[in-house]
Every structure is written in C-alpha cells, then in structure tokens.
Amino acid sequence: MTRKTDRVVLRIDVGTGKIQREIIAEEDVRTFMGGRVLGDKFLYEEMAPGIDALSPKNKILLGVGPLTGTSAPGTSRYAVHTKSPLTGLFLSSVSGGYFGPEFRRTGHDLLVIEGSSEKPVYILILDDKVEIKDAKEIWGMPTDATQEFIKEESGSTKIRVACIGPAGERQIPYASIVNERRVAGRGGAGAVMGSKNLKAMAVGGSKQVEVADHEAFKSAVKHAFQDISKNPRMREGFTLYGSNLGTSPLVAGGIVPWRNWQNGTSAEAKELFPETWRKKFVKKDVRCAPPCNVKCSKINLVTEGRHAGAISEGPDYETVYSFGACCDVSDIAAVIEADSLCDRYGLDTISMGVSIAFAMECYEKGIINRDDLGGEELRFGRSDLFPKLVRDTAYRQGFGELLSMGTKRMAQILGKGSDAFAMHAKGMEIAGYDPRGAKSVALVYACGPRGGCHKTSAGANSLSMAELRTGEARFSNQGKAALTKASGDKRVLSDSMMMCVFVHGSVSNEASLELLNAATGFGWSQEEAYAIAERGSNLERLFNVREGLRRSWDTLPARLLCESPGNGPNKGQVVELEGLVDDYYRICGWDVETGIPTREKLRQLGLEELLDRSLT
Amino acid sequence: MTRKTDRVVLRIDVGTGKIQREIIAEEDVRTFMGGRVLGDKFLYEEMAPGIDALSPKNKILLGVGPLTGTSAPGTSRYAVHTKSPLTGLFLSSVSGGYFGPEFRRTGHDLLVIEGSSEKPVYILILDDKVEIKDAKEIWGMPTDATQEFIKEESGSTKIRVACIGPAGERQIPYASIVNERRVAGRGGAGAVMGSKNLKAMAVGGSKQVEVADHEAFKSAVKHAFQDISKNPRMREGFTLYGSNLGTSPLVAGGIVPWRNWQNGTSAEAKELFPETWRKKFVKKDVRCAPPCNVKCSKINLVTEGRHAGAISEGPDYETVYSFGACCDVSDIAAVIEADSLCDRYGLDTISMGVSIAFAMECYEKGIINRDDLGGEELRFGRSDLFPKLVRDTAYRQGFGELLSMGTKRMAQILGKGSDAFAMHAKGMEIAGYDPRGAKSVALVYACGPRGGCHKTSAGANSLSMAELRTGEARFSNQGKAALTKASGDKRVLSDSMMMCVFVHGSVSNEASLELLNAATGFGWSQEEAYAIAERGSNLERLFNVREGLRRSWDTLPARLLCESPGNGPNKGQVVELEGLVDDYYRICGWDVETGIPTREKLRQLGLEELLDRSLT
C-alpha cells in the first residue's frame, strides 16, 4: 500500500512492454523536492555517460511537483528530462496547460520511459490502468490531429495528450512535445520520443491530489492569491500581453536582436509591440488549468491577407523574436502562422526561427545560393517563405534537410566562417535577449545547463528588465554573476515546486514556502528550499561534466564576443565573457580553471559522492 | 408532458432570444415521417416566397429522423433545410458523423432557427437547457478551432458541434456547415448561419431515444445488419474505398469529366483511382457514430512533398472530381490539401473546385488574365494554387472575391460566352457524373430540387453505375425518366428515415420498413412509405414553383446540350434534354408544359391545397 503522500514512479519500457511502479524514498523527496530537481537526480542516476541521445538507451522522464494538481495558483506544469539530441547534454523542458495536473491525478509523480519500440506506440494511463497501445493509425499525424484521434479512440474525452508531430517522428534535433496548444519546446525531447517510436502519452486521472496539511494549505493558497492580486504586472500586463509584456522597453534598450543579431533595433520595431497588434490578432485570453486565473496566454487569429486562417496559442515573445526580429520580419500575421505550423508539426519555434535567420544571412553573404533553395531568394524579411521552410524542415525535405540540423551543424557543413554568426550556445539556438546590452544574460547563455536558453540558469527576460532599470550599469560586468546566480536559483525552485515562473515571480518567498511545507510536511526553511535549487543546478552541471563539458564549452558565438550591434543603444558593446565566467564559477562554487563543481560545494549539497563518478 | 414517441420542435429566435418548444401533431409525423420530408413540410409552411436567403426572414431547420440515435445501422445523419443563397431555391443538406444522434439525445427532433442576432452567438443545447451564448471569442475561427474551443468552454467534452468557418461568416453562397470532420456541404446553409450571426450549434444529450416496439425493433436491426453483412459492396468496396469505390469503372465509361467538362478522359486518369492512392494516403478508416460499422470514411494524410501535413476526412469522390479531374489535376495530395482547407474554412468542395475549373478555362480562353490573378497563370493543372485560391475565396479577397460568387454569377460578370461552359444547374455547380454518357443523370441535374446536385432527386453515382452496366443503352433516353424517378424516391426515403444512402442501398426494402414501423408504430406499407417520399419531392417542387420555377428553369449548361466530350468513350454524345424532361414530368405527375405538379398528383399525396398557395 502506498501512503497518500508517497511519490510514485511509473516505469515503462516501450521496448519490452514491461510496466513497473516504485515508491520514491521519502528522504529523496525531501532532498530533491520534485519536478526539475527530482528529475535531475533521476536523470543523473539512470543514464550512463556517452549515450547517443537518439538511441534506446536514452530515457524520457516526465515529472510533476509537490504543488501540481493542487489548488495552488500556476501549478499546471510538467517537466521532461532527457539527454538532448541538439546539445548532447542535459535537458529539462517544461510545459503548462492541462496535461501536468491530469497526469498527477492518475496517481503518479514521475513517468520514466525506457527502451525503444519496434512499431509506433502510444502510452495510455487511465488511473492505475496503463497500456502501451498501437499508434499505427496516428503515426504521421500533426499534433492537433494526434490529440483529436487519441481522445476519440479512448472514448474518454476528458483525457489529455502530450505528443510529437512529424518533426519528432523524423527525429529533428529541435522537435518539441506538444500538449493541447502548449509546448515543451527546447532541446529536442520530441526527437527522443520519435527515436523510441513513441507518438504520445495520454492521461486521464480521477484521483484526488493529497497535501500533508489541508488547513495550512488552504491558508497558504489564500496568501499566494493575495500576492498575485496585489501585483499590477500580473493583474494588467500579463493579462493583456502575456510574455510579450516587455517588448517595448526591451526594444528601447536595444535588447531585441534584429537580422540574426547584426542589429540592435529596426525602424519597424514598433510593429512587434503587443500594444500594436493585440487588438488586431488576440482573439481570446486563455489560462492554464484551474486554479490559475492569470490569462497570460493568447489565442491569436489572422482574419485577412496571405496568412488568413492561421490560429495559434502564441506567439510568445521568443517566437516574435525568432521569426520576427531575428528574420527582420515585422508582419505579426506571418509570425502567427509560423508559430502555428511549428506547433502543428512539433518544432521548437526559437531554434526554427533562428536557424532560418542564420540561413538568411548565409544567403545574403553568398554562402548558400538560389540553387540550394530550389530557386528562392532567402533574403531577410521573406516571411512569405516561412510556411514552406517550416514544413520542409519538419519533413526533412528540400532545403529543410539543412535547416533541420540547427545552426551549429549547419555552420559546420557550410563553413566559410559562418560559425561566427551561428547564434547558438552548445548547439542550442540563443533566445531573444542580447547580452551585449545586459551582461548578466551572457552567463545565462554561456553557462546554462541546456545551452543558449533563456529559461535555464535564469530568466533572461527578467534579468534584462532588471538590468535596463540600472541605466549604464548594464554595460558593466560588475555584480552580474550574483544577479544571474540568484535568478537562476529562483528558476530552479519554480520548476521544482513546480510553479509557473510568472506566477512564482509575484508570490512572496514566504507564501511559496508556506505552500511547499503545507503540501509536503517537510518543514523546509528558505535556505533549505534554495539549497535544493542549488543541488539541482549542480546535478545538471555534473551530468554535463560527465559528458565531457569543461570551462571552454561555456562560451558564446563570436558575434557576441567580437562584434557590436550595427545600430541601437548598445552599439559599441561586446561581451567580455571570461571575467564574467570567473565570477560566476566562484559564486557557484565551481572550479575556475575547469568549470567543475568543487568538492566543497558538493559536500555542502550532499552530492560529494557524485564528483568522482562524474570524472571517470 | 410529452409522450416518449412525441416529436419535439425546438424553436429559437436568435434575434429576440425567444426559445419555444412545440409537439409535432402525430398526424404530421405519420404523413411526413421525419428528416427530409418533415423538413420539406416545415420549410414550405414557415417561409413566405421571395425572401432573400440571407435576410433574417430565412430560417434554418435542423432535423433528425425516426431512426436517428437508435441501434439501427447508418442512422447518424441530420438534415438542414433552408432557402439556398446559391440558387434562391429549396435546399436540404445532410451530414453524418456524431452530431445528429447527439442532438436527438437532447430530446428534440427538429430545431427551427429564426431571426438574426446583432452580435455573433452560438446555440448550446444540453438536454432541456438551451442557451444562446456569446460567440465573440470564436467568431472568425476556422471550423476545427471553433469546435475545439466550444468543447473546452462548455466543460462538457462529450458535446458535438455543427459550425461555420470564415466562409460562412462572410456569407459565401456555397459556405458549408461542418460537424467534426463531416460536412453539410451544398447550397450555402453555412452562409445562412453567417447571415444570422450564428457561429455554431452545440449539443449534448443524455436522453434515451425511444422506439414504439422494442422487441420488434431489435429484430429489425438484426435483419438490417444481416443484409449489410451479406453485401460484398459494403463489406469490401466501401470499407476500402468509400465513395471513391466506383472511380475506375466510371472513368472507363467516360463518366468522370476532365478539364471543366471539355474531356471525357485523361492519360493520367488512373492516378485518381483509389486503388492507386489508398495505400499512400489513407491513414485510418472511420465510421459515423455507432452502431454504424461500415468504415466508409477515410482519414487521408500527406506525409511528404509540397502538401505534407495536410489531413482530411476525405476527399470523397466528388472532391476528387472537382479539384482533381475537373481542374485536370492528378496529384491526390493536392486534392487532400484542398479538401482539408475547404472543411477548415467551411466551403463546399464541389462548388469550390468547379468554380476554380471554370476560372481555369476562362484564363486559358483569355476571358480573365494575369492581372486579374495577381500575376498568377491559372492554367489547368495548377494545383499549387489551390491553397491560395481556397483561402482567398473563404476570405473574399483578391481573385477569391470573384470565385466566391460561384460559376453562375462569375459567368454573368465575365460574359464573353462563358456561360456556355459555366457548369451549374440553377446556380449550383454540377457534381461529377457526365450525363452525356448516362442520360438518366441529366434529369438529376436538370430537375433536382436543389440544382446541379447528385444527391437530390437521385443518387447520380448509382444511376451512372447502373447505366454503365447496360452498355450502349446508356446513350438512349429510353426508360431513363423511370430510372431517375425510382432512384430519387429511394433517396428521399433514405433522407427521411434518415438512413445513410450507402447503408440503405444494402438493406432490403422489407428490413427498412420493419425498422420504420417498429420505431414509429405507424404500420406503413411499402407503398405508403414511398408515397411519403413522393410527397417530399412534390413539396420541394412546390417550394420552388412558389419561387417562380417553371419548366424553362429545368435545364443544363450549353456544354452538355451542344458539345460532346473532346475524348473518351462518350465522344459524339450530347444530352437531348427535352424528351427526357417530358418523360420525367409525366412519370412524376407534373404538368408537361409548366413543370408544375398536377392537381391530381397533389390530391393523391394529400397536398392539393398547396397548389393554389404555390401559384399566387
């Protein structure tokens, strides 16, 4: 018998068909919490180094946290852990919507998927009943139809589905996992599913999610909602503009990169401001599963012109950056269509848009030509080519074969100095905040565990906004390592509780801790909670160290180190990275020469025994 | 209190918000059965002549039949009646899937929608609870998203939705109504919904559908299923190829029209045979709501090339004809994409494809030119233009403004003799069976109550196949009126019971009647059942007569009367229509001079009092 607060692992080998359940030791839950950090622990323990990310030996971990499925706000998320086929390194990718709470209501906290099926399958979990089902009839379908047909076939229309599209099936290294119209986007977890012939996970749960202390939890939830309601950013900004909230100040600060990071601004920049386009395109403000009441997500609809009929949940800011600014496109309708196609085919919008921008620059520099492109001229601004390019990438056909490799591998193939402007870190395309104008962000991209991502190590958006408020100080390296480290720790905590980072940002530390302790009964102090976050960051670092990562890997594209933006307020700025990294390593407790966590730091976090294991 | 076998009308005025229920007099049910004929009766009685089809005075009737929602096979259909904005005449349009039975389980048999709302609304019927709801957030959405968001909003994921897309909202005269991936396609019922600002009807029912005699019904159902299982056409042909079953023999007989009916065959014809493309594209065989067990509907998926990612329930034969043969396109992937876009935007595939084929011929004849087309060359075979043309039609933009009018009005505007090859009858684009090679079909198109349609008056597919089996006799007018009349009566009966015409075709007359009588307790004889069908055809005729229709309206495009196919086995053939019409009128009991039903005929059918009312 399991106790109501036991955390349950459901382990499924899609190769052998073996299905097992395990209880997670309470001490492990106390030490690693849930969501991201617990996933970090499992990923580290379960995977040997050097595994091919697309081999049957890779695993997919899908986990929820102590608050998922409770009445606490912003807790609808789930985290996927795997080894990334894009970077060959650690990957954790998080998505919102309705899937996470539904999964937890099946009575499970962590799904571990192993092996590889010979034939296409999907996993159906209805409470205790777990089946590996034939996916022959849905293999090949886009993500919208996949969800529709699984729901119809199951007869239980309440179920929620996380699935891959044609891109995941074809193991595109930046293929995403899509649930509803939400996405676990970065790093290619969808390709890992594809490599296992696993089309989808479908879940329907009827179990009550239990907390340790009901009364205390009720009171903590009340405090959390009070915090949210007092925050004007949540009440107004997010509700109106979602993650696009900051575009206008970011543009003013030259943080939004134009033309594959050649420029820091554009005459058409205001076309990308949500204040400009909300009225024209936002059809419906939507939220994740209740109890979240912040309708920060937007259903955008195009009702005229070349892109008429396109509908998408999004674009989020990052997609406005990647398909918009980065490709020098100011037509939001085109971005909405590109966004919808990426979701439909199951492609990460950042990697896709940045790869296209990279190809545009290669074309303009004569590194690729019309013959490579089936006669098309892939100049900056050619948003009319987005549908074709996105489709051909998902299906690995035509010029899409090259695009589907991502910027790092494209640059390796194309040569001719193109690696200097291949905007990735560790193989992952960089998100939309220019560190030349907000130096803390350089560390996010250079040292983040999953590569050039805004979400791991720290929130690059909030960091950029914080730096912009400091005026000229944003050009200095002074104090930036501490800023990045603090922001990163908070992020890992959000992803482990697991609470949406936007919501978590408006809930006080006190109310957060109250929620956590009422839910778990562990009586953590603030210090202990943040130590768990640090434990996670170090586990992720050790995972990567075990794969061979050393200090020299923590770097940025030459364009950021040697070239300043061609225009905008950050003209003249480059990133002087080495000093930043020194500071960051010191503050993280990582060896300045090698970038490996020090024995002392690991001892503090109870991870000392992992050091030697990571170095063999 | 209503009795269990009472038939209930739900009347909703979307302008005033008034909602009423009425019981249909038992005598009326006995006289008009249900589905199509009962709808004919209501439409005739409720509408004054001369009403603008897109004015608030038009009504939409949505009805089911005595077998809908029971355990009888093939009974998932519903019928929509309205005045057609395409023809200005009678319209009944039928769709399968899951909506019909779900509607009947709400406890209603006929929905009458009146008036016009000032703001976009949708109707939500959950058993006895009926609401007119704000559709602001879904107005503008394609039909797939519309269904998704209404389901999500209702919280009841079991509900089914019949809705319009952008084409219906813009009142395109051939806009369809879409439920699931099924369509009530022809004649523009979707435009009538659009004119009422009515985006959708959503239904969720929990009531048991009652039959008069349970034991007798059980036995009748058993007999019907036995008939179906004995029929190889149902067991094999339909299950493999659905409505495309007959393409190969139809092509061999020159019945499939190529290049806007200029030709009777093509060197590439075999590309359209389902035997050629099933393996490549059919992903899943699907059925309508249980208890239907004939998986005649096909989910087609394109997984490579220019149209990769397109997914559609279909194309049915008619769409293969309209976008394929008629446009001289042999690329089924292109037809699948066009089909999916028509469904998504809510456009009838026949009218859309035939309008494009007409435009192609106009372009090749120099009646329209590149400037009209934004620089494109609209030659036959240009399937790469389908997505743009379909989208621009649904949104009434660019060249789509002209296409959205349909062939009749396009020819009126373009002039230059183009009306000779505008392939419509009474304004409705003609379906894909060339009457020059199967003379009975000429009567279907010329005299059918809704214009150039294969489904009213008779099944043009089964007629063509029957004629092909007679060899050279198919070129004769001899006996064709009787063939058409008999086939037409059967059709009206199918649509009134209401049983899918494919299923009905394999259920014996005895088993059909057994089902009807066990369900209703009316004890009809075969003759009485067929008299009800004839009553329907005459009601439809009187509706049209009241609108001004006379014999001269019952005609065909000049191409069929004066021009023989340029190639194929029917070369040399034209339709000699007048003799056929004489015969047909006589056999129908319609006046040979005027085409008006004779007093004697109407007296036989108990409709005499309608004659004078139809002539004022």
Side-chain angles (χ1 to χ4, degrees), chain A residues 98 136-142 145 148-149 152-153 157-158 160 170 181 283-286 299 301-306 308-309 311 344-345 391 395 397, chain B residues 98 136-142 145 148-149 152-153 157-158 160 170 181 283-286 299 301-306 308-309 311 344-345 391 395 397:
Chain A
Y98 290 79
K136 186 182 163 214
E137 291 186 331
I138 50 171
W139 192 257
M141 286 190 185
E148 176 193 334
F149 282 100
E152 199 74 47
E153 184 174 293
T157 46
K158 184 180 163 288
R160 298 290 176 175
R170 282 163 185 74
R181 291 172 177 272
K283 192 68 197 161
K284 191 175 162 75
D285 302 304
V286 293
I299 301 296
L301 177 68
V302 184
T303 56
E304 60 179 9
R306 178 196 289 279
I311 182 168
R344 189 159 187 268
Y345 300 139
R391 183 194 65 214
Y395 288 89
Q397 62 188 13
Chain B
Y98 290 79
K136 186 181 163 217
E137 290 186 331
I138 50 170
W139 192 258
M141 285 189 185
E148 176 193 334
F149 282 99
E152 199 74 47
E153 184 174 292
T157 45
K158 183 182 163 286
R160 298 289 175 174
R170 283 162 184 76
R181 292 172 177 272
K283 191 67 196 163
K284 192 175 161 76
D285 303 303
V286 293
I299 301 296
L301 177 68
V302 184
T303 56
E304 60 179 10
R306 177 195 288 279
I311 182 169
R344 190 158 187 268
Y345 299 138
R391 183 195 64 217
Y395 288 89
Q397 62 188 13

Side-chain angles (χ1 to χ4, degrees), chain A residues 537-607:
Chain A
S537 295
N538 280 275
L539 274 165
E540 295 166 9
R541 187 77 181 174
L542 288 174
F543 183 99
N544 285 343
V545 163
R546 193 173 58 174
E547 297 293 336
L549 176 143
R550 294 295 181 273
R551 175 165 177 151
S552 64
W553 296 30
D554 284 347
T555 189
L556 291 174
R559 173 156 287 164
L560 301 180
L561 303 176
C562 312
E563 204 182 309
S564 101
N567 64 14
N570 305 325
K571 206 173 164 179
Q573 288 291 323
V574 295
V575 175
E576 290 169 13
L577 186 64
E578 297 313 316
L580 280 167
V581 172
D582 286 351
D583 292 352
Y584 185 71
Y585 282 3
R586 276 190 205 105
I587 218 162
C588 289
W590 298 349
D591 181 72
V592 174
E593 294 297 309
T594 62
I596 299 170
T598 60
R599 188 169 298 274
E600 191 192 340
K601 184 71 201 180
L602 295 176
R603 189 179 302 131
Q604 275 173 27
L605 299 169
L607 300 174

Side-chain angles (χ1 to χ4, degrees), chain A residues 92-409:
Chain A
S92 168
S93 190
V94 174
S95 175
Y98 290 79
F99 183 89
E102 196 66 41
F103 170 67
R104 196 171 186 207
R105 283 193 288 271
T106 67
H108 303 101
D109 296 88
L110 180 63
L111 175 63
V112 178
I113 301 166
E114 310 180 334
S116 173
S117 170
E118 262 182 47
K119 289 180 181 173
V121 293
Y122 73 96
I123 292 170
L124 178 63
I125 307 172
L126 299 174
D127 288 334
D128 296 330
K129 190 177 164 203
V130 179
E131 288 176 276
I132 301 174
K133 296 183 68 97
D134 188 352
K136 186 182 163 214
E137 291 186 331
I138 50 171
W139 192 257
M141 286 190 185
T143 58
D144 47 359
T146 300
Q147 296 182 61
E148 176 193 334
F149 282 100
I150 290 179
K151 284 185 184 188
E152 199 74 47
E153 184 174 293
S154 77
S156 162
T157 46
K158 184 180 163 288
I159 66 164
R160 298 290 176 175
V161 179
C163 66
I164 58 172
E169 294 178 12
R170 282 163 185 74
Q171 304 175 32
I172 310 295
Y174 50 92
S176 61
I177 299 175
V178 178
N179 57 291
E180 301 103 51
R181 291 172 177 272
R182 311 284 301 207
V183 180
R186 305 230 67 190
V192 180
M193 282 181 66
S195 75
K196 296 186 178 311
N197 266 318
L198 175 62
K199 181 70 175 167
M201 289 81 74
V203 297
S206 63
K207 299 188 182 180
Q208 177 81 32
V209 172
E210 300 285 354
V211 292
D213 183 339
H214 278 275
E215 284 310 307
F217 195 75
K218 244 168 84 175
S219 157
V221 167
K222 196 175 145 196
H223 295 152
F225 274 111
Q226 280 168 349
D227 286 348
I228 295 168
S229 70
K230 278 184 291 195
N231 188 317
R233 196 169 142 89
M234 296 306 283
R235 227 178 33 233
E236 292 150 28
F238 266 107
T239 304
L240 278 172
Y241 305 127
S243 68
N244 289 288
L245 172 61
T247 310
S248 162
L250 289 171
V251 162
I255 300 296
V256 183
W258 250 267
R259 292 178 81 86
N260 195 37
W261 299 70
Q262 293 178 89
N263 287 343
T265 192
S266 154
E268 295 184 343
K270 74 169 194 324
E271 298 299 318
L272 302 191
F273 296 177
E275 296 84 352
T276 311
W277 56 266
R278 175 182 164 86
K279 207 168 167 183
K280 187 162 181 196
F281 297 118
V282 174
K283 192 68 197 161
K284 191 175 162 75
D285 302 304
V286 293
R287 61 181 198 179
C288 290
C292 191
N293 62 356
V294 184
K295 294 185 170 178
C296 75
S297 201
K298 309 295 157 201
I299 301 296
N300 283 289
L301 177 68
V302 184
T303 56
E304 60 179 9
R306 178 196 289 279
H307 308 284
I311 182 168
S312 186
E313 184 164 341
D316 278 332
Y317 166 74
E318 298 301 334
T319 309
V320 171
Y321 142 70
S322 64
F323 279 99
C326 205
C327 291
D328 208 4
V329 163
S330 56
D331 177 2
I332 288 292
V335 177
I336 292 170
E337 183 168 32
D339 190 44
S340 77
L341 291 174
C342 284
D343 291 354
R344 189 159 187 268
Y345 300 139
L347 283 167
D348 174 40
T349 59
I350 305 179
S351 287
M352 181 78 262
V354 174
S355 295
I356 292 174
F358 172 71
M360 286 170 164
E361 186 165 348
C362 287
Y363 177 81
E364 295 203 345
K365 290 196 155 64
I367 298 171
I368 54 178
N369 58 49
R370 285 177 67 156
D371 292 342
D372 302 317
L373 291 156
E376 297 287 359
E377 299 193 64
L378 187 58
R379 299 195 177 283
F380 280 107
R382 284 291 305 271
S383 62
D384 58 313
L385 296 176
F386 284 167
K388 178 179 159 62
L389 293 171
V390 172
R391 183 194 65 214
D392 287 354
T393 299
Y395 288 89
R396 275 198 204 273
Q397 62 188 13
F399 185 66
E401 279 203 62
L402 189 64
L403 283 172
S404 76
M405 296 176 185
T407 49
K408 180 181 172 183
R409 277 165 244 196

